[in-house]
PDB file of all heavy atoms in Angstrom:
ATOM      1  N   PRO A 377       1.519  41.203  16.538  1.00  0.00           N
ATOM      2  CA  PRO A 377       1.988  40.132  17.421  1.00  0.00           C
ATOM      3  C   PRO A 377       3.439  40.386  17.851  1.00  0.00           C
ATOM      4  O   PRO A 377       4.200  40.896  17.089  1.00  0.00           O
ATOM      5  CB  PRO A 377       1.837  38.851  16.600  1.00  0.00           C
ATOM      6  CG  PRO A 377       1.746  39.336  15.197  1.00  0.00           C
ATOM      7  CD  PRO A 377       1.341  40.761  15.151  1.00  0.00           C
ATOM      8  N   GLU A 378       3.701  39.893  18.997  1.00  0.00           N
ATOM      9  CA  GLU A 378       5.120  39.978  19.568  1.00  0.00           C
ATOM     10  C   GLU A 378       5.858  38.806  18.885  1.00  0.00           C
ATOM     11  O   GLU A 378       5.313  37.725  18.849  1.00  0.00           O
ATOM     12  CB  GLU A 378       5.153  39.743  21.060  1.00  0.00           C
ATOM     13  CG  GLU A 378       4.443  40.774  21.910  1.00  0.00           C
ATOM     14  CD  GLU A 378       5.249  42.070  22.027  1.00  0.00           C
ATOM     15  OE1 GLU A 378       6.536  41.932  22.112  1.00  0.00           O
ATOM     16  OE2 GLU A 378       4.677  43.133  22.006  1.00  0.00           O
ATOM     17  N   PRO A 379       7.099  39.040  18.494  1.00  0.00           N
ATOM     18  CA  PRO A 379       7.854  37.884  18.021  1.00  0.00           C
ATOM     19  C   PRO A 379       8.019  36.916  19.144  1.00  0.00           C
ATOM     20  O   PRO A 379       8.181  37.320  20.310  1.00  0.00           O
ATOM     21  CB  PRO A 379       9.183  38.476  17.565  1.00  0.00           C
ATOM     22  CG  PRO A 379       8.954  39.945  17.492  1.00  0.00           C
ATOM     23  CD  PRO A 379       7.915  40.253  18.410  1.00  0.00           C
ATOM     24  N   GLU A 380       7.963  35.645  18.812  1.00  0.00           N
ATOM     25  CA  GLU A 380       8.147  34.656  19.794  1.00  0.00           C
ATOM     26  C   GLU A 380       9.576  34.513  20.356  1.00  0.00           C
ATOM     27  O   GLU A 380      10.480  34.606  19.486  1.00  0.00           O
ATOM     28  CB  GLU A 380       7.727  33.227  19.299  1.00  0.00           C
ATOM     29  CG  GLU A 380       6.222  33.154  19.142  1.00  0.00           C
ATOM     30  CD  GLU A 380       5.853  31.657  19.235  1.00  0.00           C
ATOM     31  OE1 GLU A 380       6.527  30.890  18.527  1.00  0.00           O
ATOM     32  OE2 GLU A 380       4.882  31.387  19.930  1.00  0.00           O
ATOM     33  N   THR A 381       9.788  34.341  21.608  1.00  0.00           N
ATOM     34  CA  THR A 381      11.108  34.116  22.107  1.00  0.00           C
ATOM     35  C   THR A 381      11.438  32.626  21.860  1.00  0.00           C
ATOM     36  O   THR A 381      10.642  31.824  22.317  1.00  0.00           O
ATOM     37  CB  THR A 381      11.108  34.346  23.676  1.00  0.00           C
ATOM     38  OG1 THR A 381      10.443  35.562  23.898  1.00  0.00           O
ATOM     39  CG2 THR A 381      12.603  34.473  24.104  1.00  0.00           C
ATOM     40  N   PRO A 382      12.490  32.398  21.189  1.00  0.00           N
ATOM     41  CA  PRO A 382      12.814  30.983  20.911  1.00  0.00           C
ATOM     42  C   PRO A 382      13.036  30.215  22.228  1.00  0.00           C
ATOM     43  O   PRO A 382      13.766  30.866  23.090  1.00  0.00           O
ATOM     44  CB  PRO A 382      14.094  31.074  19.992  1.00  0.00           C
ATOM     45  CG  PRO A 382      14.228  32.440  19.673  1.00  0.00           C
ATOM     46  CD  PRO A 382      13.458  33.294  20.596  1.00  0.00           C
ATOM     47  N   SER A 383      12.542  29.094  22.402  1.00  0.00           N
ATOM     48  CA  SER A 383      12.782  28.333  23.636  1.00  0.00           C
ATOM     49  C   SER A 383      13.573  27.124  23.345  1.00  0.00           C
ATOM     50  O   SER A 383      13.480  26.584  22.254  1.00  0.00           O
ATOM     51  CB  SER A 383      11.463  28.018  24.310  1.00  0.00           C
ATOM     52  OG  SER A 383      10.594  27.387  23.294  1.00  0.00           O
ATOM     53  N   PRO A 384      14.318  26.551  24.270  1.00  0.00           N
ATOM     54  CA  PRO A 384      15.062  25.412  24.020  1.00  0.00           C
ATOM     55  C   PRO A 384      14.082  24.256  23.714  1.00  0.00           C
ATOM     56  O   PRO A 384      13.196  23.960  24.496  1.00  0.00           O
ATOM     57  CB  PRO A 384      15.876  25.108  25.325  1.00  0.00           C
ATOM     58  CG  PRO A 384      15.570  26.276  26.167  1.00  0.00           C
ATOM     59  CD  PRO A 384      14.381  27.093  25.661  1.00  0.00           C
ATOM     60  N   PRO A 385      14.174  23.569  22.644  1.00  0.00           N
ATOM     61  CA  PRO A 385      13.220  22.589  22.213  1.00  0.00           C
ATOM     62  C   PRO A 385      13.037  21.384  23.185  1.00  0.00           C
ATOM     63  O   PRO A 385      11.925  21.082  23.539  1.00  0.00           O
ATOM     64  CB  PRO A 385      13.783  22.011  20.890  1.00  0.00           C
ATOM     65  CG  PRO A 385      14.739  23.020  20.453  1.00  0.00           C
ATOM     66  CD  PRO A 385      15.294  23.662  21.728  1.00  0.00           C
ATOM     67  N   ALA A 386      14.112  20.938  23.707  1.00  0.00           N
ATOM     68  CA  ALA A 386      14.039  19.652  24.490  1.00  0.00           C
ATOM     69  C   ALA A 386      13.140  19.804  25.726  1.00  0.00           C
ATOM     70  O   ALA A 386      12.369  18.912  25.983  1.00  0.00           O
ATOM     71  CB  ALA A 386      15.418  19.232  24.838  1.00  0.00           C
ATOM     72  N   THR A 387      13.205  20.951  26.424  1.00  0.00           N
ATOM     73  CA  THR A 387      12.515  21.019  27.655  1.00  0.00           C
ATOM     74  C   THR A 387      10.994  21.125  27.394  1.00  0.00           C
ATOM     75  O   THR A 387      10.250  20.474  28.063  1.00  0.00           O
ATOM     76  CB  THR A 387      12.884  22.343  28.399  1.00  0.00           C
ATOM     77  OG1 THR A 387      12.866  23.411  27.491  1.00  0.00           O
ATOM     78  CG2 THR A 387      14.284  22.281  28.962  1.00  0.00           C
ATOM     79  N   THR A 388      10.682  21.906  26.402  1.00  0.00           N
ATOM     80  CA  THR A 388       9.189  22.078  26.066  1.00  0.00           C
ATOM     81  C   THR A 388       8.653  20.705  25.631  1.00  0.00           C
ATOM     82  O   THR A 388       7.589  20.355  26.002  1.00  0.00           O
ATOM     83  CB  THR A 388       8.983  23.149  25.035  1.00  0.00           C
ATOM     84  OG1 THR A 388       9.981  24.056  25.145  1.00  0.00           O
ATOM     85  CG2 THR A 388       7.625  23.690  25.231  1.00  0.00           C
ATOM     86  N   ALA A 389       9.464  20.124  24.820  1.00  0.00           N
ATOM     87  CA  ALA A 389       9.043  18.836  24.212  1.00  0.00           C
ATOM     88  C   ALA A 389       8.675  17.819  25.238  1.00  0.00           C
ATOM     89  O   ALA A 389       7.789  17.028  25.099  1.00  0.00           O
ATOM     90  CB  ALA A 389      10.098  18.414  23.275  1.00  0.00           C
ATOM     91  N   SER A 390       9.535  17.742  26.296  1.00  0.00           N
ATOM     92  CA  SER A 390       9.271  16.672  27.214  1.00  0.00           C
ATOM     93  C   SER A 390       8.030  16.827  28.066  1.00  0.00           C
ATOM     94  O   SER A 390       7.438  15.863  28.500  1.00  0.00           O
ATOM     95  CB  SER A 390      10.488  16.588  28.175  1.00  0.00           C
ATOM     96  OG  SER A 390      10.683  17.704  28.846  1.00  0.00           O
ATOM     97  N   GLY A 391       7.599  18.110  28.221  1.00  0.00           N
ATOM     98  CA  GLY A 391       6.463  18.343  29.088  1.00  0.00           C
ATOM     99  C   GLY A 391       5.089  17.726  28.682  1.00  0.00           C
ATOM    100  O   GLY A 391       4.462  17.139  29.382  1.00  0.00           O
ATOM    101  N   THR A 392       4.913  17.744  27.354  1.00  0.00           N
ATOM    102  CA  THR A 392       3.533  17.372  26.898  1.00  0.00           C
ATOM    103  C   THR A 392       3.180  15.994  26.960  1.00  0.00           C
ATOM    104  O   THR A 392       2.031  15.607  27.225  1.00  0.00           O
ATOM    105  CB  THR A 392       3.329  17.920  25.488  1.00  0.00           C
ATOM    106  OG1 THR A 392       4.403  17.409  24.662  1.00  0.00           O
ATOM    107  CG2 THR A 392       3.231  19.414  25.428  1.00  0.00           C
ATOM    108  N   ASP A 393       4.121  15.149  26.791  1.00  0.00           N
ATOM    109  CA  ASP A 393       3.797  13.663  26.853  1.00  0.00           C
ATOM    110  C   ASP A 393       4.331  12.960  28.034  1.00  0.00           C
ATOM    111  O   ASP A 393       4.230  11.798  28.085  1.00  0.00           O
ATOM    112  CB  ASP A 393       4.348  13.042  25.520  1.00  0.00           C
ATOM    113  CG  ASP A 393       3.415  13.168  24.391  1.00  0.00           C
ATOM    114  OD1 ASP A 393       2.273  12.862  24.488  1.00  0.00           O
ATOM    115  OD2 ASP A 393       3.856  13.720  23.391  1.00  0.00           O
ATOM    116  N   GLY A 394       4.971  13.711  28.926  1.00  0.00           N
ATOM    117  CA  GLY A 394       5.537  13.093  30.019  1.00  0.00           C
ATOM    118  C   GLY A 394       6.700  12.245  29.761  1.00  0.00           C
ATOM    119  O   GLY A 394       7.044  11.231  30.403  1.00  0.00           O
ATOM    120  N   LEU A 395       7.441  12.511  28.609  1.00  0.00           N
ATOM    121  CA  LEU A 395       8.575  11.750  28.223  1.00  0.00           C
ATOM    122  C   LEU A 395       9.821  12.253  28.842  1.00  0.00           C
ATOM    123  O   LEU A 395       9.880  13.452  29.112  1.00  0.00           O
ATOM    124  CB  LEU A 395       8.708  11.707  26.725  1.00  0.00           C
ATOM    125  CG  LEU A 395       7.549  11.368  25.901  1.00  0.00           C
ATOM    126  CD1 LEU A 395       7.912  11.508  24.465  1.00  0.00           C
ATOM    127  CD2 LEU A 395       7.291   9.881  26.250  1.00  0.00           C
TER     128      LEU A 395
END
Side-chain angles (χ1 to χ4, degrees):
E378 298 284 326
E380 287 204 313
T381 316
S383 52
T387 50
T388 330
S390 61
T392 50
D393 276 306
L395 301 177

